[in-house]
Amino acid sequence: MASLDIVSLSKTLGTHAILKSVSLNVPDGAFMTLVGPSGCGKSTLLKIISGLELQDDGDVRIDGMSVSHLHPKLRDIAMVFQSYALYPHMTVYENIAVPLVLRRLALMARMPLLGKLMPGTAAVRQKIDSDVRTTADMLELTQLLTRKPVQLSGGQRQRVALGRAMVRDPKIFLMDEPLSNLDAKLRVHMRAEIARLHKRLGATFVYVTHDQIEAMTMSTHVAVMMEGEILQVDSPQRIYAEPADIRVAEFIGSPKINVLPGRVREDGALAVPGFTIAGRTQLPTGSQASVGFRPEHITLAQKGVAAPSATIINLEHTGPEVFVHASLEGLGAPLTFKLEPHQAMHLASGDQVGLGLSLGHAHLFDAQGKRAPFMQPVSEVVAGEVRYG
Amino acid sequence: MADANFAPMLAGAHRARAFGATLSGWGLALPATILMLAMILIPTLVAMLLAVTDYQLGARSIQYIGLGNFAELLNDRVFWRAFNNTLIYTLMTVPTAVLLGLGVALLIEADAFGRGFFRTVYFLPVTALLVAMATVWEFILHSDLGLVNQLLARVFGISGPDWLSDPNHVLSSLAFIFVWQQTGYNMILFLAGLKAIPSDLYSAAKVDGADRAIDRFLMVTWPALGPTMLFVVLITTLYSFRVFDTVAALTQGGPANASNVLLYNIYREGFVYFRTGFASAMTMIFLALILLVALIQIHSFERKEKRS
């Protein structure tokens, strides 16, 4: 159990900046997920925390102590790899025992025959044995201890990798996309299992994934990374409800948030193609801005109410809900919104529908993509041709 | 009714097609089969038959003498000298060439610096024709003018032995030349083996506490190289047993059979003294030896496969 601090960490490979002065605080016992598209630097960050790679600048601190100069062994961290990285020639038992053997026995004592002659080895071996069995018991691996990794299923290998990480009770667990090699069904199962493990161990987890569902379902904290920077660190709920950056809003949530480009009018309202959103922003008049609506915050307008009109392109029935893709005049990309099946019963492609926008849930972003508040709550959508430019 | 009439016809067509497939299968395998028969199996068979005769090249008579040749071999001091020399030569070359090849491969893999350069340099001897290179080695190892002895004399003030004419040194000199060539070949094989080890395993080993290179080598590299190691040892042993060209080009087995080896002895008995039957008997022993090595190693490989 420990807290982790990352202080202005930078890493450059050639001319490409992989990490641009990244800072992050992971509180004791947190489940921090680093999520972002591939190539955003999240795996590099994890490797620097573990000591497998060295930073160009900045510091890594565990419990306030700098560990930047320490070998991975001395940082007291454990790591789970996407490929599991189990030693193929060793049994499950031996794999789990490795971190203990390497730490508690000297090279000589580890040798097959010579080791038996070294004084004290037997007692250490006994302690290792009981630790390995306790861990195996916890992960339901006891039946599999004599098997080799090739004889295990993906999920079992995953559990062995977790066992090898858990067995010596490290300060911090680092996990690098540990579920990516599993099939969809098993992934859901292991997601729950890892989250449960975190609760039971009460240890600090740093978890890297590109899968937003994993990030949202397992973590206590989510850090969204993009292009070598951390854009936002927050609880999963707040990351979704109050994205600090338009890139966060677009990355988290499936289907993607609908973004309408707009321009701030003199009266503070926002003009988007085809209609105006009334409400005061504090952004300078005439500046570019965007407004985002999540698919569940757009619905059909009530009959007789003036509303932006869109043409339905197609409907996707998933069972409990229907995703509607519709084009709005003047907007390049189609909008996506979510309806209950009964609402979509009479709709077909090519239909004209009025859009009901849930204005209380509008996300406003300034020209740089940073979140900006509406100073006065948005009150209405004014349909009609509004030209700008 | 119609079905009943069709059935035998269909079965016939089916049989004909199956027969056609068998025929074309044999047809495709035929060229390789003929070549194997003509180049390997029949010559081996002929050698087996000759081994129990007193046949001499060009002789008009041939007589069956049973195991006479083998009985003679048992008491042939030159044969035993060649036999022992081959074993000693192999014991000198195999560990050295295998470990050096592994060492060079590890060094090359360890750092990206100059990787292509060193790989090429170490592989160059493999591409060289050994008979031609033997001439170069003859110069290098010359007792007075050779590079080695010149160097020994000028730098250390030691007068080196005559590497290729001294009975105490000739075998090791030949072994050295073999190692010089075989190391590059083994290196390439080990490099391929090293490439196949996932880098995640090394990362895992570091996090697990293998902070020294030797720990990581024992935990990851050595076990992963098992199959490669077996193959390299097998191929180096076989090549070692088959040493001929350097002996023929540099020493002709001399001085006084100090560098005589099995294959060279067979060649001399068969093609210099024309004792074809006798040479064939030696070939059988040579063949048995090689088969034994191959069987031991294939057997241990299969056992390893089964265990993992």
Side-chain angles (χ1 to χ4, degrees):
Chain A
M1 290 232 275
S3 68
L4 172 72
D5 283 291
I6 290 154
V7 187
S8 1
L9 218 55
S10 296
K11 173 85 179 173
T12 309
L13 253 190
T15 56
H16 179 62
I18 299 169
L19 294 176
K20 302 169 190 165
S21 192
V22 170
S23 292
L24 179 69
N25 166 262
V26 185
D28 185 6
F31 193 129
M32 171 70 76
T33 300
L34 302 174
V35 63
S38 52
C40 71
K42 56 192 192 298
S43 288
T44 306
L45 181 55
L46 201 69
K47 281 190 181 137
I48 292 176
I49 297 172
S50 69
L52 290 170
E53 268 186 46
L54 290 180
Q55 66 269 40
D56 297 334
D57 203 15
D59 203 7
V60 179
R61 292 177 197 154
I62 294 175
D63 276 339
M65 302 259 287
S66 172
V67 296
S68 293
H69 59 286
L70 291 181
H71 187 277
K73 179 184 183 180
L74 300 172
R75 295 190 182 196
D76 203 6
I77 40 114
M79 193 155 171
V80 178
F81 296 83
Q82 179 177 353
S83 64
Y84 318 132
L86 302 177
Y87 306 110
H89 62 289
M90 295 183 184
T91 61
V92 169
Y93 179 97
E94 289 164 329
N95 263 289
I96 297 177
V98 161
L100 301 180
V101 170
L102 282 178
R103 281 179 164 74
R104 297 181 189 170
L105 290 172
L107 183 61
M108 279 300 176
R110 266 180 256 149
M111 294 291 163
L113 284 170
L114 208 61
K116 290 226 165 66
L117 303 172
M118 305 280 285
T121 306
V124 179
R125 285 264 179 209
Q126 236 165 36
K127 176 79 176 86
I128 289 175
D129 183 70
S130 79
D131 288 355
V132 169
R133 287 183 193 283
T134 312
T135 303
D137 202 36
M138 231 167 123
L139 293 167
E140 290 162 33
L141 288 169
T142 309
Q143 304 297 317
L144 306 172
L145 282 176
T146 54
R147 300 245 191 119
K148 291 267 174 78
V150 281
Q151 298 165 302
L152 302 178
S153 69
Q156 290 167 336
R157 282 180 213 183
Q158 175 67 70
R159 290 216 300 276
V160 177
L162 283 172
R164 190 175 62 181
M166 279 162 53
V167 72
R168 69 188 164 79
D169 206 8
K171 282 183 181 159
I172 296 172
F173 285 82
L174 305 177
M175 305 199 178
D176 190 3
E177 307 242 6
L179 304 184
S180 302
N181 284 1
L182 300 177
D183 62 59
K185 203 172 151 194
L186 203 55
R187 207 177 304 159
V188 175
H189 174 75
M190 286 307 291
R191 223 157 64 194
E193 203 159 309
I194 291 181
R196 207 162 51 232
L197 198 68
H198 171 252
K199 282 210 187 71
R200 186 149 59 152
L201 298 174
T204 310
F205 276 42
V206 180
Y207 186 102
V208 161
T209 181
H210 65 271
D211 184 329
Q212 46 160 311
I213 304 289
E214 284 176 25
M216 299 298 281
T217 52
M218 301 163 74
S219 351
T220 61
H221 299 65
V222 176
V224 182
M225 278 189 82
M226 238 164 259
E227 289 160 23
E229 287 174 292
I230 292 182
L231 299 177
Q232 186 174 2
V233 185
D234 243 320
S235 68
Q237 295 77 16
R238 282 172 56 93
I239 289 269
Y240 187 78
E242 290 173 46
D245 191 293
I246 192 163
R247 288 174 289 172
V248 175
E250 287 186 310
F251 186 74
I252 301 287
S254 176
K256 230 166 100 172
I257 192 168
N258 299 291
V259 175
L260 310 174
R263 182 172 287 264
V264 181
R265 292 201 325 195
E266 278 171 30
D267 59 359
L270 192 73
V272 295
F275 57 95
T276 306
I277 296 171
R280 282 185 64 81
T281 76
Q282 56 187 168
L283 298 174
T285 303
S287 71
Q288 301 275 1
S290 330
V291 63
F293 292 95
R294 296 242 179 239
E296 63 271 31
H297 298 142
I298 302 179
T299 181
L300 297 177
Q302 284 170 348
K303 290 256 156 58
V305 175
S309 146
T311 313
I312 294 179
I313 301 169
N314 71 324
L315 300 146
E316 283 176 357
H317 296 267
T318 66
E321 53 211 11
V322 180
F323 292 112
V324 184
H325 302 280
S327 71
L328 195 68
E329 209 181 319
L331 193 72
L335 294 178
T336 303
F337 57 98
K338 200 165 88 175
L339 295 178
E340 307 258 320
H342 70 89
Q343 294 174 295
M345 223 149 50
H346 303 296
L347 295 180
S349 333
D351 286 358
Q352 289 275 330
V353 290
L355 298 181
L357 303 168
S358 173
L359 295 167
H361 293 101
H363 302 279
L364 182 67
F365 301 99
D366 67 13
Q368 281 73 47
K370 297 283 168 241
R371 184 180 189 83
F374 280 105
M375 283 176 60
Q376 240 173 39
V378 205
S379 52
E380 58 174 326
V381 169
V382 185
E385 202 65 27
V386 178
R387 300 219 168 267
Y388 66 94
Chain B
M1 286 298 146
D3 292 352
N5 290 339
F6 272 127
M9 272 170 74
L10 278 175
H14 193 75
R15 258 202 306 276
R17 204 161 52 201
F19 180 68
T22 316
L23 203 66
S24 62
W26 277 106
L28 289 171
L30 198 63
T33 314
I34 289 177
L35 275 177
M36 263 171 49
L37 281 174
M39 311 298 275
I40 303 171
L41 291 175
I42 293 177
T44 311
L45 206 68
V46 170
M48 272 182 195
L49 292 175
L50 285 174
V52 290
T53 68
D54 65 348
Y55 184 65
Q56 299 208 334
L57 195 68
R60 287 164 185 251
S61 69
I62 181 166
Q63 203 168 3
Y64 172 77
I65 55 165
L67 295 177
N69 283 326
F70 294 94
E72 190 185 342
L73 273 178
L74 279 179
N75 297 314
D76 184 348
R77 291 238 297 273
V78 176
F79 167 76
W80 283 113
R81 187 76 200 264
F83 186 89
N84 287 337
N85 278 346
T86 307
L87 287 187
I88 294 168
Y89 179 86
T90 306
L91 284 176
M92 282 194 288
T93 54
V94 173
T96 327
V98 170
L99 291 180
L100 272 180
L102 177 62
V104 171
L106 286 173
L107 285 178
I108 287 176
E109 264 306 293
D111 200 342
F113 174 76
R115 188 173 286 179
F117 172 76
F118 287 113
R119 207 161 41 196
T120 313
V121 164
Y122 279 98
F123 193 67
L124 267 181
V126 184
T127 64
L129 195 64
L130 201 53
V131 176
M133 289 314 289
T135 327
V136 178
W137 279 106
E138 197 167 13
F139 278 117
I140 294 176
L141 296 173
H142 190 275
S143 60
D144 306 319
L145 310 167
L147 191 67
V148 177
N149 281 359
Q150 289 273 341
L151 214 68
L152 284 175
R154 295 200 183 171
V155 179
F156 300 103
I158 308 167
S159 74
D162 191 343
W163 297 105
L164 290 174
S165 308
D166 186 331
N168 293 322
H169 291 103
V170 63
L171 208 55
S172 5
S173 301
L174 292 177
F176 182 86
I177 297 174
F178 177 85
V179 169
W180 165 79
Q181 186 173 46
Q182 190 65 22
T183 296
Y185 189 70
N186 292 350
M187 169 206 72
I188 289 288
L189 294 173
F190 280 125
L191 277 178
L194 288 174
K195 276 262 182 298
I197 304 175
S199 64
D200 268 2
L201 278 180
Y202 290 103
S203 300
K206 276 187 201 170
V207 174
D208 283 342
D211 49 352
R212 285 171 304 178
I214 175 78
D215 291 326
R216 291 196 289 277
F217 178 79
L218 291 176
M219 293 251 315
V220 180
T221 315
W222 184 255
L225 279 183
T228 315
M229 178 62 72
L230 196 79
F231 179 72
V232 170
V233 170
L234 175 72
I235 214 103
T236 311
T237 312
L238 292 181
Y239 283 177
S240 237
F241 271 145
R242 281 173 17 191
V243 57
F244 175 77
D245 34 15
T246 43
V247 177
L250 291 175
T251 67
Q252 291 83 46
N257 286 318
S259 66
N260 198 359
V261 290
L262 273 182
L263 209 57
Y264 188 75
N265 202 36
I266 292 172
Y267 157 79
R268 201 159 54 177
E269 291 289 347
F271 299 97
V272 179
Y273 307 147
F274 300 128
R275 301 180 61 199
T276 312
F278 189 61
S280 297
M282 267 195 284
T283 308
M284 287 307 109
I285 290 178
F286 182 68
L287 198 68
L289 210 62
I290 290 211
L291 271 177
L292 189 72
V293 173
L295 281 178
I296 289 173
Q297 280 167 336
I298 288 169
H299 178 71
S300 66
F301 184 66
E302 276 174 351
R303 222 181 44 195
K304 213 169 192 170
E305 286 281 275
K306 250 181 230 151
R307 263 191 299 158
S308 64

